Amino acid sequence: MARVLKVSGPLDLDAIRAEAGVPAEFPADVLAEAERVAASPPLPDHDATDLPLVTIDPPGARDLDQAVHLARTAAGYRVSYAIADVGAFVPLGSAIDAEARRRGQTVYCPDGRTPLHPPQLSEGAASLLPGQLRPAALWTIDLDGDGEVTAVDLRRARVRSRAQLDYESVGGQVPPELELLPEIGRLLQARARDRGAIELGTPSQEVEPAPDGGWRIAFRGQSDVEGWNAQISLLTGRCAARLMLDGGVGVLRTLPPADPGAVDALRRLAPGLGVAWPAGAGPGEVVASLDPARPRDAAFLDAAVSLLRGAAYTAFDGPPPAQPGHGGVGAPYAHVTAPLRRLVDRFGTEVCLALAAGEEPAAGLRAALPGLPALMAASDRRTHEVERAVIDLVEATVLAGRVGEVFDAVVLDADGKRSTVVLAELAVQARCDGRLTPGERVRVRLTTADPATRTVRFAPAGD
């Protein structure tokens, strides 16, 4: 954690959720249906409880979508990845299904989450909690010694997680259950670079309760363990996309290749920020070499977001999409690993389960696919609106009494007559009047900090 900003007292987060249209309570019929299905969980015939699976999530998480086991084989590695079988609890056309389509995804706020599914399922009967017998969609993915996929198996199975681990504790010392995670994770990262994947890894602003009361906001980068664990999810998503494309039906997470004009603009920016761009290197290779903790690297990474424009969900039934790939992943990719928290993953998993079994996906499932992109786009907008509003409110609240003060800052980008700066000592990122030079260290004066409008603005200090 670095550059922590703290605010004491209450924040009106309910107002933010209401403005964004975040659903509040679950309807009575949805809760009643959840109680019924949670009381008698469906368990598949295939028994995989001998697999010593573990989950790894943020501390305190209860909506556990994935459990993993990693093993060495004679030819390379075997990745066993159990995904919560939400489809077993949520039939198409049920009340829970209709409500999940309305919500789209779980919305996280500092004071709690607004779940996609009733807690009886998302934090109970469907969650891969330790020691509990659970239905799962079990992916078995074999890799060769270089981390390339050699075989994929997917089936419904009963599983039992052995332990619930968290990123903080695993980051201190990788436990025996995950001893291969660094090795496999680094291999998969190397293969991603070979594919031209662009993984920015820029620090994100997060608001959370402070240990001694109030709230704090900090810039957090992705730890090595989080990065390696993310590679297991990305691997599974690539395998899911391959199944869908081979089967002629599915819903992909797509992102067009980086626009050549954006790449050229980034290449021209690199020398001014001291970023080396070797001859023949692609943008993904350059990005992978940078340290987000360095201000000039951070400014370059912020500008590199322009390479990843146009993410969407693309449903198809028949010929594949004209552009099936994901520029950030460097390959076709599908969301299937977070069905407790994201609507589309349940549908993607059901399609893959059918195709892996050599069957055609059910007609009702196929009929639902074309509507998913719009549902997910709406829920993405709502989630991003909430996240940005929460950060804006905290920033404006803590700075409200400091208008006129001067701060050290680093310029992230410049557009027209305004720039974006990040303060050197506080976790604040905001607009600044005047066109400045990206990567430059500057002194800025706080001109506006209004909690009512959640607005923070700076201007060059001129001193």
Side-chain angles (χ1 to χ4, degrees), residues 417-434:
K417 295 182 179 180
R418 286 187 175 178
S419 304
T420 301
V421 299
V422 57
L423 300 190
E425 300 300 330
L426 295 175
V428 172
Q429 179 176 317
R431 301 297 284 173
C432 180
D433 293 331

Side-chain angles (χ1 to χ4, degrees), residues 101 249-251 314-317 347-348 351 361 364-373:
R101 297 192 202 205
V249 58
V251 55
T314 303
F316 67 101
D317 195 341
F347 291 86
V351 169
L365 177 61
R366 300 177 93 121
L369 299 182
L372 292 175

Side-chain angles (χ1 to χ4, degrees), residues 244 249-251 346-356 361 365 369:
M244 294 175 183
V249 58
V251 55
R346 167 165 56 97
F347 291 86
T349 294
E350 290 300 315
V351 169
C352 287
L353 282 165
L355 295 175
L365 177 61
L369 299 182

Side-chain angles (χ1 to χ4, degrees), residues 5 7 19 21 50 85 143 173 186 191 207 215 251 262 269 271 287 308 327 354 362 368:
L5 180 71
V7 57
E19 287 175 18
D50 59 324
D85 189 1
L143 306 174
Q173 182 177 2
R186 290 189 182 105
R191 300 291 74 76
V207 177
W215 307 93
V251 55
L269 176 64
V287 163
L308 303 177

Side-chain angles (χ1 to χ4, degrees), residues 240-335:
R242 188 72 268 156
L243 265 176
M244 294 175 183
L245 289 168
D246 289 346
V249 58
V251 55
L252 303 176
R253 182 60 167 167
T254 56
L255 180 71
D259 178 76
V263 175
D264 288 343
L266 199 63
R267 187 181 283 110
R268 290 193 298 270
L269 176 64
L273 294 177
V275 171
W277 194 310
E285 184 179 345
V286 175
V287 163
S289 70
L290 302 182
D291 179 2
R294 295 181 63 238
R296 287 178 173 254
D297 284 8
F300 184 88
L301 291 170
D302 193 74
V305 172
S306 63
L307 304 178
L308 303 177
R309 305 290 191 197
Y313 290 96
T314 303
F316 67 101
D317 195 341
Q323 199 296 103
H326 190 291
V329 178
Y333 172 63
H335 277 160

Side-chain angles (χ1 to χ4, degrees), residues 127-140:
S127 178
L128 302 182
L129 297 167
Q132 303 300 311
L133 191 63
R134 291 289 187 260
L138 180 61
W139 292 84
T140 304

Side-chain angles (χ1 to χ4, degrees), residues 132-216:
Q132 303 300 311
L133 191 63
R134 291 289 187 260
L138 180 61
W139 292 84
T140 304
I141 305 171
D142 287 338
L143 306 174
D144 65 18
D146 294 324
E148 297 287 2
V149 176
T150 60
V152 177
D153 181 82
L154 171 64
R155 62 185 67 194
R156 282 192 155 96
R158 58 180 73 190
V159 301
R160 182 182 284 111
S161 170
R162 298 291 200 272
Q164 181 177 353
L165 308 178
D166 63 74
Y167 293 121
E168 186 174 334
S169 61
V170 172
Q173 182 177 2
V174 177
E177 298 95 332
L178 293 175
E179 63 179 352
L180 287 176
L181 183 60
E183 185 175 337
I184 295 174
R186 290 189 182 105
L187 274 176
L188 293 175
Q189 288 170 334
R191 300 291 74 76
R193 289 193 293 272
D194 292 343
R195 297 193 305 271
I198 302 174
E199 300 175 347
L200 296 181
T202 49
S204 60
Q205 282 176 295
E206 296 184 9
V207 177
E208 60 188 19
D212 54 349
W215 307 93
R216 64 184 181 184

